[in-house]
Amino acid sequence: MTAANTTGAGRLLIQILNRYDTLDEFLAHIRQGIDAPTDQLPRVHPDDQG
């Protein structure tokens, strides 16, 4: 299968597997990013806008 005759989803899968050894490795990487703590941004109140 070549990238030229595949669907967009197929091309995406090819790119993922070129970068990661397995789909499970890719999914573990995604889950790690999702589960990581997020940065809390300070709230901006309209009254504080000058």
Side-chain angles (χ1 to χ4, degrees), residues 5 7 9 13-19 23-24 26 29 31-36 38-39 42 44 47-48 50:
N5 64 1
T7 63
L13 181 58
I14 289 169
Q15 290 180 1
I16 290 169
L17 294 176
N18 283 336
R19 182 167 181 179
L23 189 56
D24 286 334
F26 169 72
H29 178 77
R31 286 185 191 108
Q32 180 182 8
I34 291 172
D35 292 341
T38 56
D39 295 330
V44 177
D47 297 339
D48 295 340

